[in-house]
Amino acid sequence: MPSRSLADAFRSHPVHLHQKHLDFSSLQEIPDSHKWTQLDDIEQQHPSVESFITESVPVIDLLDPNVLQNIGNACKTWGVLQVTNHGIPISLLESVEGVSRSLFSLPVQQKLKAARSPDGVSGYGVARISSFFSKLMWSEGFTIVGSPLEHFRQLWPQDYTKFWYMFGIGDQALCLLFSSFSNDQISTLYSDVIEEHEKEMQKLARRLTWLMLGSLGITKKDLNWAGPKGESKEGGAALQLNSYPACPDPDLAMGLAAHTDSTLLTILYQNNTSGLQVLKEGIGWVTVPPIPGGLVVNVGDLLHILSNGLYPSVLHRAVVNRTKHRLSIAYLYGPPTSVQISPIQKLVGPNHPPLYRPITWNEYLVAKAKHFNKALSSVRICAPLNGLVDVNDHNSVKVG
Ligand SMILES: C=C1C[C@]23C[C@H]1CC[C@H]2[C@@]12CCC[C@@](C)(C(=O)O1)[C@H]2[C@@H]3C(=O)O
Ligand SMILES: O=C(O)CCC(=O)C(=O)O
Ligand SMILES: [Fe+2]
């Protein structure tokens, strides 16, 4: 099962985090432990640019007849795009948002009952990449690999009262509906939502992978693990629920520090609060605004390797804001965990030597745990000939 082996990567390389769990909602001021300066994250030195003076991340309708070409262009020039008409029911995305909101609203002590262990992949905690920074991020996360049922049973109290609320115009038609659930009922209900979401997202992720590779002229035949004989090998995935509480001084805080994803691709849902920014060469940090019904899709490090550097894995981060609690839901999609990933043969030739050595997803996760933003460079075997530079390797010299 892919989910079980994804966890193996973390067992072999435990990450001990300086966990300091804050009750963000009670803070009027940012504690020193959470105050970031430019020195705390080298990537902060790039300017944040206003969306109206610059280009923006392409929005692509998956039903557009030119979808293949549009996706190819977006992947080459940005490494990120937003998709509409993707087929995932909005109601399903809103249900996962509801589960996430309910989870993060629990008291800290309750959430810690499902804390992620240093050598585990699933559970509640700060982002794994936190170990590379001296300052803490203004966020909480919950990672799910496989069924979340056991963790959910640890989380919700025995008698859990859930309320739905509806607001009318002004304060006229405020309506609260209360209902009591047993721990078992709520865990099963929420777990079913997560599993349905996983099923739907898996389908979309596969479709997007083939569209992205298709625009490079790659078909299933060109990939040994996904070709006619490899059909049965399914990709694996992790679901990351992110919560960014409102912050008294957003300029001093960091929601999620700049990183690339160790995936083939990541599909991100953001509730109607912006915060995601991507780094565009020569421009700076560009905000990716939430669009109704849209999903953000970004190229991950493994697709960067497969495409032999043609598709950059985009450096991105999440910033926070003063008034709104922001939630995001990231579906981190990868290949079967023990399959060797290397530049696709068709994209390699005398003028295009392979830039990376073969590596499995599990090995890559270990490399990320050791080297963080230098993980991609750590598997590089060849200096770029044609001016391609790893997006997360800003110190390297550009040629051409
Ligand atoms: C399959 C994955 C991908 C992981 C590790 C593992 C499970 C959790 C993912 C994230 C999610 C949050 C950002 C990130 C950088 C992090 O800290 O945890 C991601 C990381 C990666 O993309 O490297
Ligand atoms: O919250 C966001 O917008 C970004 C989340 C993210 O990058 C991740 O979970 O990998
Ligand atoms: Fe990410």
Side-chain angles (χ1 to χ4, degrees), residues 240 242 244 256 259 261 266 268-270 275-277 298 316-318 326-330 332:
Q240 173 77 14
N242 295 305
Y244 306 94
L256 186 56
H259 65 279
D261 293 341
T266 301
L268 185 91
Y269 167 82
Q270 24 181 4
L276 174 66
Q277 297 187 325
N298 67 266
H316 56 283
R317 69 178 184 185
R326 175 171 184 267
L327 293 170
S328 77
I329 293 149
L332 299 126

Side-chain angles (χ1 to χ4, degrees), residues 48-49 64 73 90 152 155 193 204 208 238 277 291 298 306 340 345 350 352 364:
S48 274
V49 289
D64 188 303
N73 287 339
I90 302 299
F152 283 4
L155 279 176
V193 169
L204 177 62
L208 288 166
Q277 297 187 325
I291 53 171
N298 67 266
L306 276 183
Q340 298 280 344
Q345 213 51 48
H352 302 279
Y364 193 77

Side-chain angles (χ1 to χ4, degrees), residues 226-280:
K229 290 193 203 94
E231 214 71 72
S232 60
K233 285 189 188 158
E234 280 188 11
L239 186 69
Q240 173 77 14
L241 311 176
N242 295 305
S243 163
Y244 306 94
C247 175
D249 199 344
D251 293 338
L252 293 180
M254 177 60 76
L256 186 56
H259 65 279
T260 58
D261 293 341
S262 317
T263 58
L264 282 172
L265 57 85
T266 301
I267 307 174
L268 185 91
Y269 167 82
Q270 24 181 4
N271 72 345
N272 56 11
T273 309
S274 57
L276 174 66
Q277 297 187 325
V278 297
L279 188 65
K280 180 83 162 89

